[in-house]
Amino acid sequence: MHTPRRHKTPKGASTCYAHATQPPTRKESPGGGFDMCSPLEKLAASVPGVICTFLLRPDGSTAMPYASPAIFDLYGIRPEDVADDASAIFARFHPDDSGRVMRSVGESALAMTQWHDEWRFDHPIKGERWIEGRSTPVRETDGSVLWHGYLQDVTERKEKERRIAELNAFLRLLTNAVPALISYVDADLRYKMVNGAYERWFGHPAQAIEGKTVRDVLGDAAWEAVSPWMHRALAGESVEYEAELPYQDGGPRWVHASYLPDIDAEGKVRGFVVLVVDLTENRRIEDELRRARKQFADLLARQDGIRDAERRHVAREIHDELGQLLTGMRMALSALRLRGEPKKADVVRTTEQIDKLLDQTTDVVRRLSTSLRSTVVEHGLLPALEILAADFRNLTGITCRLTVSGEPPSINAPQAMAAFRIVQESLTNIARHAQARSVSIHLSCDATNLRFSVQDDGRGFDPGSARLNGNGLGLFGMQERAAIAGGNLRINSAPGKGTRLEVDLPLDSEGEE
């Protein structure tokens, strides 16, 4: 900043604020003396701020030809100390403000426009204070510029503004942390304040939303839905509702909305506070849970039907095959008794007949035992899958290959049973629906995970449609088995592209077959 030099007040510059460019008007007092601008000086002394003139000379030096006595309270400097040289005032400006203030003075002098600025001042007694100045420039004949204006201490106002700004920043911090729309809408249905959630919902900065109407932000369709509720809030009613709103930005959302009216002391509604919580994900989860409950109920009913069918099958096997064999043995023994004293040849023949029947009975009992007892428990996962693949080939005629990479899996019985049942259910679905020519089953295992896949070259399907239509009981059952075992099941399929089922199953490090 230019360092001011002391100069005498130029000719024509007055110490009276009323008309600083003319010689002072002298008026004879009742006591015989003269009173200089007495009414105006008394008025200036009664004003809480400082009435003054400020002079900027062509050489850049400054002065305050006139300042009311309140300048001492404002700056801690007497009026006569700055009448010819105002550098003592600028020396106590805050370093961050002095350059800006002098630039604003220069701009006012150049354009001859009203000057207004605020700055910090180091008062010798009070410490740092905030000063506000306003003045109007006049061009002097010697090229100087003289401002007539007013200075005041605005420290208290600045402190209040600082506190308000801190409170607003804290309020915005709190509202931005809430995962819901929070805003204030005025009586003209314009957003006065919005939190950060508006940016995430609508894709526009908060500053671009504030000042706009609700209709402009939400779009016509959503506005038609919310406007009746908002007008009820403007009528002074607290409003709460749930609805699916078709927002123009962000798509349709299920929301829970609350409007709290802002009512002043006279009972007038100035606006209302808006709180909107997004329920879309909750609704989706609820729909999924309802579908899952239905699928689970259907699965339980299907499993009950399967168990009943298995019981009927076992009962029929016992009744038809085992019962016939036992009846045959009984009839052979009865025939032997009816002969009275049987000959040796009859006894031998009957014994051979019963021996054959016993062999057949043993085969039936072994087959029933095998069907009732899991091959996984009996032999382990890998041999069980080999048997399952062989049976699938023999029953369907579809090529089925089983491959293994890594060490043979060593897992506990529940997890092994889950893996076996998932593969078994997958092969059942392929046999029933896929129209496949070949199937491949692959297992890979390390110290922590068992991964297996079942892939076919069949007609494929849309997994999402199968679930939505309630036709995915087999898929649901496999997913349930994988989840219960702590794993994750994925199904990749599309019409005409075949199907690939993949399962990741974390292993219990202490588990064994």
Side-chain angles (χ1 to χ4, degrees):
M1 184 179 75
H2 175 77
T3 303
R5 295 189 299 274
R6 294 181 60 86
H7 285 269
K8 295 289 185 180
T9 303
K11 183 179 180 181
S14 171
T15 59
C16 176
Y17 166 74
H19 200 346
T21 59
Q22 298 296 329
T25 302
R26 299 177 59 85
K27 178 181 179 181
E28 187 174 354
S29 66
F34 289 92
D35 187 7
M36 296 176 63
C37 306
S38 178
L40 290 177
E41 288 182 347
K42 291 179 181 178
L43 176 63
S46 67
V47 174
V50 176
I51 294 177
C52 63
T53 60
F54 175 76
L55 182 69
L56 177 64
R57 301 184 182 97
D59 63 0
S61 63
T62 59
M64 294 187 72
Y66 172 80
S68 62
I71 193 173
F72 185 79
D73 182 61
L74 184 73
Y75 281 145
I77 297 174
R78 293 175 301 175
E80 56 268 27
D81 294 335
V82 293
D84 290 333
D85 183 1
S87 60
I89 293 177
F90 288 102
R92 305 191 72 90
F93 272 39
H94 192 285
D96 293 342
D97 297 341
S98 59
R100 187 198 71 250
V101 173
M102 289 308 298
R103 284 193 298 274
S104 69
V105 169
E107 292 169 357
S108 175
L110 184 64
M112 295 303 290
T113 54
Q114 188 176 34
W115 174 78
H116 174 225
D117 211 334
E118 295 176 351
W119 60 92
R120 286 162 289 181
F121 183 82
D122 182 18
H123 195 285
I125 298 173
K126 301 177 183 179
E128 184 175 279
R129 310 295 290 177
W130 273 96
I131 310 298
E132 179 185 31
R134 294 176 182 272
S135 62
T136 302
V138 175
R139 182 81 62 184
E140 297 283 272
T141 57
D142 65 350
S144 301
V145 178
L146 186 69
W147 282 266
H148 306 271
Y150 177 77
L151 305 174
Q152 63 176 333
D153 188 325
V154 293
T155 306
E156 291 185 5
R157 190 195 77 197
K158 282 289 188 177
E159 179 62 19
K160 290 178 181 178
E161 290 175 354
R162 184 188 66 80
R163 292 178 181 175
I164 292 173
E166 287 180 351
L167 289 174
N168 286 337
F170 184 65
L171 176 62
R172 191 171 290 275
L173 177 66
L174 290 179
T175 57
N176 286 344
V178 178
L181 298 182
I182 300 177
S183 62
Y184 184 88
V185 176
D186 65 15
D188 295 326
L189 293 171
R190 290 182 179 274
Y191 288 107
K192 302 300 289 184
M193 185 280 293
V194 299
N195 71 337
Y198 275 84
E199 298 184 11
R200 296 188 291 273
W201 278 43
F202 300 108
H204 304 293
Q207 296 82 355
I209 296 175
E210 292 171 348
K212 287 188 174 181
T213 66
V214 175
R215 184 168 196 159
D216 288 340
V217 175
L218 303 189
D220 292 340
W223 165 250
E224 294 299 326
V226 305
S227 60
W229 302 98
M230 289 191 168
H231 283 101
R232 286 170 59 178
L234 288 177
E237 180 182 351
S238 294
V239 174
E240 190 171 350
Y241 66 91
E242 288 186 9
E244 186 177 24
L245 300 181
Y247 294 111
Q248 67 179 357
D249 295 317
R253 295 173 184 255
W254 270 100
V255 300
H256 180 280
S258 302
Y259 303 154
L260 181 65
D262 175 24
I263 304 175
D264 63 17
E266 298 178 354
K268 182 180 179 181
V269 178
R270 294 176 293 199
F272 55 91
V273 176
V274 175
L275 174 63
V276 179
V277 179
D278 189 355
L279 301 180
T280 306
E281 183 64 13
N282 292 349
R283 288 279 182 153
R284 186 192 67 78
I285 292 173
E286 289 174 1
D287 291 342
E288 287 288 338
L289 285 175
R290 279 193 292 269
R291 283 195 292 270
R293 290 191 191 101
K294 183 180 184 303
Q295 288 178 332
F296 188 65
D298 293 341
L299 179 62
L300 289 177
R302 181 169 175 254
Q303 289 176 334
D304 288 341
I306 292 172
R307 281 194 292 268
D308 289 341
E310 290 175 347
R311 292 190 188 101
R312 288 193 298 270
H313 173 71
V314 172
R316 189 163 52 249
E317 291 266 344
I318 292 173
H319 178 269
D320 294 347
E321 295 191 45
L322 194 56
Q324 290 179 8
L325 292 171
L326 293 174
T327 300
M329 286 186 281
R330 184 185 297 277
M331 291 175 63
L333 290 173
S334 297
L336 187 61
R337 285 194 205 96
L338 292 175
R339 290 189 177 93
E341 291 292 334
K343 295 179 182 180
K344 184 178 180 179
D346 293 334
V347 173
V348 172
R349 186 169 52 255
T350 301
T351 302
E352 291 175 351
Q353 183 180 3
I354 292 175
D355 189 52
K356 290 180 181 179
L357 292 173
L358 285 173
D359 288 341
Q360 295 176 23
T361 301
T362 301
D363 291 339
V364 171
V365 171
R366 183 181 295 111
R367 188 173 72 252
L368 289 174
S369 177
T370 301
S371 65
L372 293 174
R373 182 176 175 83
S374 171
T375 55
V376 176
V377 176
E378 186 74 20
H379 304 291
L381 177 59
L382 187 55
L385 291 177
E386 290 173 344
I387 295 171
L388 181 63
D391 289 344
F392 179 80
R393 283 193 300 268
N394 295 332
L395 290 173
T396 64
I398 299 173
T399 302
C400 184
R401 297 175 60 249
L402 172 64
T403 58
V404 179
S405 60
E407 294 295 324
S410 176
I411 60 177
N412 59 40
Q415 288 183 314
M417 182 62 70
F420 178 82
R421 292 302 185 195
I422 291 172
V423 175
Q424 186 181 49
E425 183 69 29
S426 180
L427 292 178
T428 300
N429 287 341
I430 292 171
R432 290 177 177 173
H433 309 296
Q435 300 178 6
R437 295 185 302 275
S438 64
V439 179
S440 61
I441 305 169
H442 180 73
L443 272 73
S444 63
C445 188
D446 55 32
T448 59
N449 289 280
L450 169 67
R451 299 180 181 87
F452 60 91
S453 63
V454 180
Q455 184 168 353
D456 68 68
D457 60 358
R459 62 180 183 174
F461 66 101
D462 180 358
S465 298
R467 293 190 187 96
L468 292 174
N469 296 333
N471 299 324
L473 288 178
L475 304 180
F476 178 75
M478 289 187 286
Q479 288 174 330
E480 284 292 301
R481 288 187 187 277
I484 291 171
N488 179 43
L489 180 144
R490 300 178 300 278
I491 297 173
N492 298 316
S493 184
K497 302 294 184 179
T499 301
R500 180 179 177 83
L501 176 144
E502 299 175 336
V503 177
D504 294 325
L505 194 62
L507 299 181
D508 182 354
S509 59
E510 299 179 356
E512 295 179 354
E513 287 281 358

